[in-house]
Amino acid sequence: MDALSKFAQQMGIANLAGGGAFIVGLIFLTALVFTWRFIPGVRAFAVKVGWADQPNARRLNKEPLPNAGGLAIFAGFVVSVVVAWALRPIFIQEVQIQVLAILLGATILVMTGFIDDQYGLSPAFRLAVQLLTAVLLVVNGLHIDYNSIPLLPNVSESLNQPLGVAITILWVVGLTNAMNLLDGVDGVVGGVSFVAGVVLLATAAQFPDRGTAVILLAGLSGSALGYLRHNYNPSRIVMGDAGAYLFGYTLAAVSMLGTLKFSAGASLIVPLLIMALPILDTTQVVVGRLARGIRNPLGHPDKTHLHHRLLAATGQARRTSLIMWMVALLCGVVGMVAQGIRPLAIVVTVMFIGLSLWFVAYRRVRAQGKEAQGQEVGQQPATSSPE
């Protein structure tokens, strides 16, 4: 029993009998199972009403593909938060206003993204909404302290706050768009969001005052994994802007709630390392478009993203998503090492992520094989029975 308690402490579980780890696991499974089971119904309704991405030169689908997956992901996330509130409200009451701000901002962005998916909204309007939701976090106490960022010179208190607010807005809006721009190949954003969520969860779990961040990340990670079961190539549904905005915004917000204030040397370094993949992808795309004379780099889609280049090199969507997952996991490990997380916790986190991704990918491939066999049987000509 002592050995088990020591193992739990190295994983960030202070009291094995306290029920905290059980509740986090239950929240994760609630989001996973709800999203997993809810998506088929959402997909059927989306097909019926025409919520779908039409084929074009940039998209990989050859026929209309339902794009309402973001709604199912959001529903799974919200259900898990409600369960958390019911089971352990004290975790959330301490930062209740910040949690409500995150949920309100996420709701606004999900609705904006969904409307854009179906009807199209101007880039200026989408950016205005993103700025509004970022400001919503700032006015409710979620912001970055500029003077806590290493390698930057300290400034007076009169400058510290406005600079911190500016960096916070850039962080939230930037990561929201980065996740959206990364969504171009089946399984990429779902897998990268799952990896980032679990790594941030494992990091936050090492600090006793980060229980709320752990709970929110458990729900978000479970929803991502449940969605990925239906999105791994060949995808049956995509998340659209609604889902990508949800992941980018919530990860940016919760990282401030949970892991940007871990010590006197608090900084953006660890979350930046953990989420380096979408950030680097967006940076190279924007710089490339500006270099080609495009004045609005976010409003002119092309095929210069890392996943597009990988797809062209590998020729397989599955291989592309697997490589992106591994790169995201490597970035996460670097971030955990930089944070000083115990080696055992890093190893267990990597194993959990790897096994989880293998499980949903295997289930999707197996289901696709059964679907293909059913189609072949249905296409076989009927034979007359002997008289």
Side-chain angles (χ1 to χ4, degrees):
M1 188 63 183
D2 290 341
L4 186 59
S5 297
K6 290 180 180 179
F7 174 80
Q9 289 175 1
Q10 292 190 20
M11 291 302 300
I13 304 172
N15 183 5
L16 192 60
F22 171 77
I23 290 176
V24 171
L26 180 61
I27 291 167
F28 175 83
L29 289 175
T30 296
L32 167 65
V33 174
F34 184 91
T35 307
W36 186 314
R37 297 300 184 185
F38 189 47
I39 282 182
V42 172
R43 181 184 184 279
F45 185 78
V47 170
K48 182 178 179 180
V49 300
W51 294 344
D53 282 346
Q54 302 299 321
N56 61 29
R58 291 186 65 254
R59 293 175 177 149
L60 302 180
N61 53 300
K62 304 302 182 183
E63 57 186 28
L65 185 63
N67 59 9
L71 299 181
I73 298 169
F74 181 64
F77 175 56
V78 171
V79 167
S80 71
V81 173
V82 172
V83 170
W85 214 305
L87 292 177
R88 193 62 70 91
I90 191 173
F91 278 170
I92 298 179
Q93 285 174 356
E94 297 176 357
V95 286
Q96 181 171 321
I97 188 65
Q98 287 88 358
V99 172
L100 291 175
I102 293 172
L103 293 177
L104 177 58
T107 302
I108 293 172
L109 283 176
V110 167
M111 293 299 101
T112 301
F114 179 73
I115 294 171
D116 182 49
D117 290 331
Q118 311 312 323
Y119 306 106
L121 297 171
S122 69
F125 181 84
R126 298 197 304 268
L127 180 60
V129 174
Q130 292 165 11
L131 289 170
L132 173 65
T133 55
V135 171
L136 178 65
L137 298 177
V138 173
V139 299
N140 284 287
L142 277 171
H143 58 82
I144 297 163
D145 182 2
Y146 175 84
N147 281 335
S148 70
I149 303 176
L151 307 179
L152 294 180
N154 285 358
V155 297
S156 65
E157 194 58 34
S158 61
L159 286 176
N160 180 41
Q161 185 171 0
L163 286 175
V165 168
I167 292 176
T168 300
I169 293 174
L170 178 62
W171 169 249
V172 174
V173 173
L175 192 57
T176 300
N177 282 289
M179 281 297 185
N180 190 38
L181 292 174
L182 196 67
D183 188 19
V185 175
D186 292 344
V188 169
V189 169
V192 169
S193 298
F194 172 72
V195 171
V198 173
V199 171
L200 285 172
L201 186 159
T203 303
Q206 307 304 308
F207 304 92
D209 58 344
R210 307 299 174 228
T212 304
V214 171
I215 284 176
L216 295 179
L217 289 166
L220 192 69
S221 301
S223 298
L225 193 64
Y227 161 76
L228 196 59
R229 158 63 180 82
H230 302 277
N231 182 247
Y232 187 65
N233 184 266
S235 174
R236 304 190 76 242
I237 192 170
V238 295
M239 68 175 70
D241 288 358
Y245 285 169
L246 171 65
F247 283 129
Y249 178 82
T250 308
L251 286 170
V254 175
S255 69
M256 292 189 292
L257 180 68
T259 57
L260 290 183
K261 302 177 183 177
F262 38 73
S263 68
S267 70
L268 284 172
I269 300 301
V270 173
L272 277 172
L273 289 171
I274 291 173
M275 291 178 277
L277 179 58
I279 294 171
L280 291 175
D281 176 62
T282 299
T283 301
Q284 64 92 20
V285 167
V286 169
V287 170
R289 291 174 183 175
L290 290 174
R292 296 196 301 273
I294 298 175
R295 297 180 61 184
N296 182 11
L298 296 180
H300 290 76
D302 56 27
K303 287 193 173 184
T304 61
H305 290 280
L306 296 177
H307 51 267
H308 287 136
R309 296 178 179 182
L310 270 175
L311 182 63
T314 63
Q316 295 183 14
R318 290 179 182 175
R319 188 172 297 175
T320 298
S321 60
L322 288 173
I323 293 174
M324 297 290 279
W325 295 349
M326 288 189 290
V327 173
L329 183 55
L330 177 61
C331 293
V333 169
V334 173
M336 295 180 78
V337 171
Q339 175 55 41
I341 303 301
R342 299 178 182 88
L344 178 60
I346 296 176
V347 171
V348 173
T349 300
V350 170
M351 291 179 61
F352 174 76
I353 291 172
L355 289 173
S356 298
L357 291 174
W358 170 83
F359 174 71
V360 295
Y362 168 75
R363 290 296 299 266
R364 177 69 196 110
V365 171
R366 190 179 71 169
Q368 192 270 337
K370 292 182 178 179
E371 292 168 6
Q373 290 179 358
Q375 291 175 357
E376 291 177 0
V377 171
Q379 291 175 356
Q380 289 179 358
T383 58
S384 59
S385 58
E387 298 183 357

